Amino acid sequence: MPMMWLFLTTTCLIHETLSVSELFDLENEVNPEVWMNTSEIIIYNGYPSEEYEVTTADGYILTLNRIPHGRAQAGLTGTRPVVYMQHALFADNAYWLENFANGSLGFLLADAGYDVWMGNSRGNTWSRRHKTLSANEEKFWAFSFDEMAKYDLPGIIDFIVNKTGQEKLYFIGHSLGTTIGFIAFSTMPELAQRIKMNFAMGPVISFKYPTSIFTSFFLLPNSIIKHIFGTKGFFLEDKKAKATYIKVCNRKILRPMCSEFMSLWAGFNKKNMNMSRLDVYMSHAPTGSSIQNILHIKQLYRSDEFRAYDWGSEAENMNHYNQSRPPIYDLTAMKVPTAIWAGGHDALITPQDVARILPQVTNLRYFKLFPDWNHFDFVWGLDAPQRLYSKIIGLMREYL
């Protein structure tokens, strides 16, 4: 974490040294998608866009985006198979659209004939509302990926099923998005029956062997983390700060510093990233989550078990789970056909961690390790369309 603050401080200092004319030039040089929301990015790339609100059973209001068909398919009739995509921590659903249209999984799926839906996790910039609670209240932020699996995913899938009339769909997740799917599909058999196939990229189940220097943050006591960051939101979007580091990272001479920062976070494979899109990547993160979600991830760190959130005392756990310790999530109970991909240079979810969970996935239909990939290559990699996305589409056509 100290390296993160060093990076942000450096960008702010550099920003202060730039002249007004230089800032104006930078404003004009950035990619247009930097300043767009998901719907605007979809339309900008020539695709039809739909946006919906989904209210969960516990009152959170989530934004859901849809690409109903590809650019050249407006007049075609017939039912298109549905795919739902769940983004990673601190991201939003523009995550799936941040490369050019011919290199972004969301657009490629739409062009391949799929009805593409993309959700936003509770607490991020686009899903920070509730029927009765304010985001200023601590109670609003009392959630982790447990609630995302228990309420968000079922609510979204129910909405999609009702809207499309299709009872089954494909699920794609990356990083913490995979965690939400694994929990939901292993604990809710009725929901699992609606999933044709589960595609998991860099799955976060075991978090015992990360090599990222930023995971040293999890060595801090909970009390220190709460004292520094509070007890509500964490890494919420700051538009002023975002504008600063976008402008800094858009300067060719400073891009190596920005890419080095990302490599320290997630692993190295810098040659596989389109550096001209770095401003787009950074403009959609971080979008925020809850401190409780971070503390739940911390509970996974170096642990041998995959458990629900520990509320900190036997009494609180009894209140939430009717047992003194949080329940263990049993992955062997998940029967959904599953495909998993891992990166050999992934500093967050290492091959060792992925290897720990593979024997627990009883319906594993496909596994692939890309030795040279890091944690971001699954969504930003220049070679992802050829090495990964084509395989996902092939498996979808196999598991109709």
Side-chain angles (χ1 to χ4, degrees):
M1 290 302 285
M3 283 297 296
M4 180 178 295
W5 305 128
L6 176 62
F7 169 77
L8 294 175
T9 301
T10 302
T11 60
C12 289
L13 290 174
I14 293 171
H15 180 248
E16 291 298 320
T17 67
L18 299 178
S19 68
V20 173
S21 60
E22 285 177 313
L23 290 178
F24 180 78
D25 289 340
L26 286 170
E27 185 86 13
N28 291 330
E29 289 173 6
V30 298
N31 288 295
E33 296 100 315
V34 164
W35 315 111
M36 296 179 183
N37 62 30
T38 300
S39 290
E40 291 167 337
I41 291 173
I42 294 170
I43 294 168
Y44 176 80
N45 282 277
Y47 291 79
S49 175
E50 298 177 10
E51 185 171 297
Y52 302 94
E53 289 183 352
V54 177
T55 302
T56 66
D58 61 344
Y60 287 80
I61 301 171
L62 315 177
T63 300
L64 184 63
N65 291 89
R66 181 189 191 187
I67 309 175
H69 55 75
R71 284 181 290 193
Q73 300 168 348
L76 299 179
T77 60
T79 301
R80 293 175 175 82
V82 174
V83 55
Y84 174 70
M85 309 172 77
Q86 184 62 53
H87 63 73
L89 179 68
F90 299 139
D92 63 17
N93 61 7
Y95 198 59
W96 306 105
L97 311 171
E98 290 176 348
N99 275 335
F100 293 115
N102 63 358
S104 298
L105 182 54
F107 291 132
L108 290 173
L109 286 168
D111 285 336
Y114 292 89
D115 185 354
V116 180
W117 295 74
M118 299 165 289
N120 281 294
S121 295
R122 63 175 64 194
N124 86 357
T125 301
W126 311 105
S127 294
R128 200 171 295 158
R129 290 185 296 143
H130 192 278
K131 288 174 63 177
T132 60
L133 299 174
S134 164
N136 294 323
E137 298 178 65
E138 188 170 321
K139 189 175 180 182
F140 175 93
W141 298 99
F143 64 79
S144 74
F145 54 80
D146 278 345
E147 284 73 23
M148 296 176 194
K150 185 177 180 180
Y151 299 112
D152 293 6
L153 188 55
I156 287 171
I157 290 179
D158 283 345
F159 182 90
I160 294 173
V161 168
N162 290 331
K163 188 70 177 178
T164 64
Q166 296 195 52
E167 290 293 330
K168 293 193 173 186
L169 51 84
Y170 300 99
F171 177 87
I172 297 176
H174 175 232
S175 193
L176 199 68
T178 69
T179 315
I180 297 167
F182 278 117
I183 293 173
F185 305 148
S186 62
T187 59
M188 292 177 262
E190 291 184 3
L191 184 71
Q193 290 176 4
R194 288 182 163 177
I195 306 302
K196 294 180 181 179
M197 193 165 194
N198 171 30
F199 300 90
M201 302 179 288
V204 181
I205 303 298
S206 171
F207 194 45
K208 191 172 184 179
Y209 302 110
T211 58
S212 168
I213 65 171
F214 296 110
T215 55
S216 59
F217 169 81
F218 295 119
L219 297 175
L220 294 174
N222 287 3
S223 59
I224 298 297
I225 293 175
K226 290 180 179 180
H227 178 75
I228 296 173
F229 298 103
T231 56
K232 299 177 183 176
F234 184 80
F235 269 21
L236 305 186
E237 182 179 27
D238 182 333
K239 292 185 178 180
K240 184 177 180 180
K242 182 174 76 172
T244 298
Y245 59 72
I246 288 171
K247 291 171 184 176
V248 170
C249 292
N250 198 53
R251 294 175 68 88
K252 290 183 180 179
I253 194 171
L254 298 176
R255 283 177 183 168
M257 179 185 73
C258 298
S259 65
E260 188 64 33
F261 166 77
M262 297 174 73
S263 296
L264 290 171
W265 179 278
F268 59 93
N269 190 17
K270 286 174 283 189
K271 292 182 179 179
N272 200 32
M273 180 182 291
N274 184 344
M275 296 299 291
S276 72
R277 303 286 292 177
L278 192 60
D279 54 355
V280 178
Y281 304 151
M282 300 191 74
S283 69
H284 290 276
T287 60
S289 189
S290 68
I291 282 289
Q292 183 164 311
N293 197 28
I294 303 306
L295 296 180
H296 196 175
I297 296 171
K298 178 178 181 284
Q299 290 170 11
L300 291 182
Y301 181 56
R302 296 187 175 176
S303 172
D304 288 320
E305 299 174 324
F306 182 39
R307 289 183 178 270
Y309 180 71
D310 191 332
W311 288 86
S313 71
E314 290 188 3
E316 280 293 314
N317 287 333
M318 286 294 294
N319 184 44
H320 284 89
Y321 308 120
N322 202 31
Q323 58 188 63
S324 60
R325 294 194 68 197
I328 290 178
Y329 289 123
D330 180 12
L331 291 189
T332 64
M334 186 185 71
K335 306 305 179 185
V336 178
T338 297
I340 295 176
W341 288 267
H345 286 162
D346 191 331
L348 285 175
I349 306 303
T350 62
Q352 298 98 307
D353 278 312
V354 176
R356 290 186 70 220
I357 71 165
L358 291 178
Q360 302 174 55
V361 183
T362 56
N363 200 0
L364 182 64
R365 300 299 179 89
Y366 183 85
F367 171 71
K368 180 73 173 182
L369 172 70
F370 295 126
D372 54 326
W373 272 24
N374 67 23
H375 199 63
F376 293 139
D377 283 314
F378 299 101
V379 287
W380 295 336
L382 291 172
D383 59 0
Q386 294 75 35
R387 299 177 73 182
L388 174 59
Y389 302 162
S390 59
K391 183 62 179 180
I392 289 176
I393 292 171
L395 287 169
M396 286 180 174
R397 290 171 175 164
E398 183 179 343
Y399 291 89
L400 298 173

